Amino acid sequence: MSPKTLTAAVLLAGPSMLVAGFPHIAEMVAKQKLEARIAPIIPFPEYPGTPNHATYNDFDPKAQLVSTSGDHAWQPPGHGDKRGPCAGLNAAANHGYLQRDGIVDANSINTGLWEAFGLDKTATLFLQTATMFFDGDPLSGKWSIGTHSDETNSLGVIGALLGNETGICAYGHLKTEADASITRGDWLAPSDNSNCKSYPKFAQELEDLATSMTGGLITPPVLAQHSNNRKAHSIATNPYYFSPPYAGVAFTFGAHMFAFELLANHSAEHPRGFLTPEVFESFFAYERDANNNLVYTYGHERIPDNWYKRADADAWTLADIVVSTAQQCAAFPSNCQVGGNTGTVNSFSGFDLGDLTGGFITAAEELQDPAKMGCFISQNLQAEVPGFLDKTFNGAALTEVLGLIPTAFLPGIAGLGACAGIPAGRSVAEYGSQYPGAQIESSGPRSGL
Ligand code: HEM
Ligand SMILES: *[C@@H]1O[C@H](CO)[C@@H](O)[C@H](O)[C@H]1NC(C)=O
Ligand SMILES: *[C@@H]1O[C@H](CO)[C@@H](O)[C@H](O)[C@H]1NC(C)=O
């Protein structure tokens, strides 16, 4: 049968017959549906972030080649070493650009991610600050790049009673980590619900989308479309899907951009980077089996040999994170809705942004303005941090970490903008009661894997 007669047969027979008798046709139809999903309102830019990146034209092979030998040789994580939902952090730890045990701090984040990927200090300072307050221990600055670890607790044995940090996945859900990731699962979904590990089917969807949009290269517009598809998938399959302002609107999308901006290879021919499926697979801990299916090994993310990072003079900055997140809102306005399903699939209900922001933002379109996006994130982080600390620490430790908000937290997020005079925002705990997926749990019996 030619594809045309197949389609005709599909139309005549109807969907129930398809699923029962011809599972491969059902698969094909599902795929076509995915590809036909609403196209962007205005195209997502080929070169997102600040405008300078679109014309960057230099390549210095010596400076951009990233070492994968000697101290930076690849080693898989050993017993007890932490790995989690972040392909970049896992790869950096496996090559000694971060602590190989996966317990990281400001020093390694600021130097290691610059050396390995060209992620600028404006970005690493911000990410380190937000993550150590949300998912780690602000007293020691340590946090786990995977699930909870006793090693992040600066207070030692007594401290076990005073603080229990989540790490960035499992019970770190909704703080930095959120649903509809590039390849990770939704923590509260009925199936495929590890938010630490990668699912081959989502990786394959991304590669298939790249094949249909560009012939194979994974580009920023492909990743932006994938992000939109993943949110649609979560709404259609996860009754508890929820997207908060920072983890859901900003961070998950920021990670989609990192996948190109920080993982693309560079050359004289492609000074602004190109990301092949093979390089993507190495960075995401995938190999292909004899049948050409993707096979994932937890924690085996790898910087490929002969890989060239972005140029220092073309670093990815905090401004780029904010601008590209705002560009997402212009191309895919529905990606920028705060809210979630209300306990059944396809029940997405957006939260009123005016209520959430004290009137600072009244409509999602305003988030297309990078200055407003920066202050929207800043406002939300400030609203969330006392509650997140309260769920993690007790007693004297709690008093101490709350005391660090003005001296360490606020300076660390100042790069988001001055935001003078904006009102206080509201925390998820306060506004999320109508969403069953918005309840924050800080510990529990699930392993996360
Ligand atoms: C302090 C710095 C960083 C922190 C705190 C961080 C944290 C995270 C978290 C929590 C996620 C899960 C997001 C979600 O639920 O969708 C994630 C995903 C991701 N991160 Fe990072 N990350 C950092 C730096 C990096 C770097 C330097 C890279 C690239 C070199 C990177 C690439 C990615 C990618 C590609 C994903 C998506 C993984 C997937 O969905 O399969 N990140 N990161
Ligand atoms: C990166 O690009 C250069 C130039 O095309 C190439 O020689 C090298 O093999 C590529 N690296 C990887 C890991 O694909
Ligand atoms: C800390 O959290 C982890 C992960 O949720 C949990 O297994 C452990 O029991 C908790 N420890 C304490 C002391 O509450």
Side-chain angles (χ1 to χ4, degrees), residues 59 65 264-270 274 276 278-279 282-283 303-308:
F59 177 65
L65 181 65
N265 189 14
H266 294 75
S267 65
E269 200 192 336
H270 296 285
F274 67 113
T276 59
E278 292 74 24
V279 167
S282 169
F283 270 118
I303 302 176
D305 294 337
N306 297 312
W307 177 80
Y308 298 86

Side-chain angles (χ1 to χ4, degrees), residues 148 160 164 171 442-444:
H148 162 82
N164 194 17
Y171 293 94
S442 294
S443 62

Side-chain angles (χ1 to χ4, degrees), residues 51-78:
N52 52 306
H53 302 302
T55 53
Y56 190 78
N57 229 356
D58 291 331
F59 177 65
D60 177 347
K62 237 191 181 153
Q64 288 175 242
L65 181 65
V66 171
S67 169
T68 53
S69 62
D71 283 352
H72 294 303
W74 184 81
Q75 270 172 42

Side-chain angles (χ1 to χ4, degrees), residues 182 218 223 254-264 275 280 284:
I182 305 180
I218 299 169
L223 285 155
H256 277 75
M257 291 298 100
F258 279 9
F260 176 86
E261 301 297 345
L262 302 180
L263 303 183
L275 181 58
F280 164 79
F284 270 68

Side-chain angles (χ1 to χ4, degrees), residues 85-89 91-92 104 109 113 116-117 119 123-124 126-128 131 135 143 168-169 173 176-185 195-199 230 246-247 251-263 280 283-284 307:
C86 179
L89 296 174
V104 299
I109 289 292
L113 299 183
F117 301 117
L119 182 59
T124 52
F126 164 75
L127 291 167
Q128 160 66 20
T131 314
D135 305 301
W143 47 279
I168 63 171
C169 59
H173 184 55
T176 308
E177 186 283 327
D179 293 338
S181 313
I182 305 180
T183 70
R184 265 63 189 175
N195 60 356
C196 303
K197 77 177 190 190
S198 180
Y199 290 94
R230 296 282 295 116
Y246 176 58
F251 200 95
T252 297
F253 191 79
H256 277 75
M257 291 298 100
F258 279 9
F260 176 86
E261 301 297 345
L262 302 180
L263 303 183
F280 164 79
F283 270 118
F284 270 68
W307 177 80

Side-chain angles (χ1 to χ4, degrees), residues 217-437:
L217 290 180
I218 299 169
T219 62
V222 169
L223 285 155
Q225 180 70 54
H226 181 70
S227 176
N228 189 251
N229 295 353
R230 296 282 295 116
K231 287 194 172 187
H233 174 83
S234 288
I235 291 171
T237 56
N238 175 8
Y240 305 116
Y241 170 67
F242 185 70
S243 182
Y246 176 58
V249 172
F251 200 95
T252 297
F253 191 79
H256 277 75
M257 291 298 100
F258 279 9
F260 176 86
E261 301 297 345
L262 302 180
L263 303 183
N265 189 14
H266 294 75
S267 65
E269 200 192 336
H270 296 285
R272 298 183 284 281
F274 67 113
L275 181 58
T276 59
E278 292 74 24
V279 167
F280 164 79
E281 287 166 21
S282 169
F283 270 118
F284 270 68
Y286 281 101
E287 287 170 320
R288 295 244 167 216
D289 69 12
N291 299 320
N292 206 33
N293 291 320
L294 286 173
V295 179
Y296 166 70
T297 310
Y298 193 93
H300 280 214
E301 290 78 3
R302 186 172 196 144
I303 302 176
D305 294 337
N306 297 312
W307 177 80
Y308 298 86
K309 67 175 172 178
R310 61 188 302 132
D312 288 359
D314 188 41
W316 194 247
T317 67
L318 180 58
D320 291 316
I321 295 175
V322 174
V323 170
S324 57
T325 302
Q327 286 164 332
Q328 159 200 218
C329 301
F332 298 100
S334 66
N335 267 17
C336 294
Q337 278 189 286
V338 174
N341 280 339
T342 54
T344 55
V345 299
N346 293 314
S347 61
F348 186 92
S349 155
F351 194 83
D352 185 286
L353 286 173
D355 269 6
L356 180 66
T357 64
F360 161 58
I361 301 287
T362 52
E365 292 74 54
E366 292 170 47
L367 297 174
Q368 298 170 22
D369 172 353
K372 285 196 169 177
M373 175 59 85
C375 291
F376 174 69
I377 299 170
S378 173
Q379 184 199 47
N380 180 253
L381 295 175
Q382 292 177 58
E384 299 293 4
V385 72
F388 288 166
L389 292 172
D390 188 47
K391 290 220 168 205
T392 306
F393 295 94
N394 292 296
L398 177 60
T399 311
E400 215 172 320
V401 293
L402 287 172
L404 292 173
I405 293 176
T407 55
F409 185 74
L410 296 182
I413 68 162
L416 291 171
C419 312
I422 66 163
R426 293 170 68 190
S427 72
V428 169
E430 203 196 322
Y431 71 77
S433 59
Q434 72 190 94
Y435 304 101

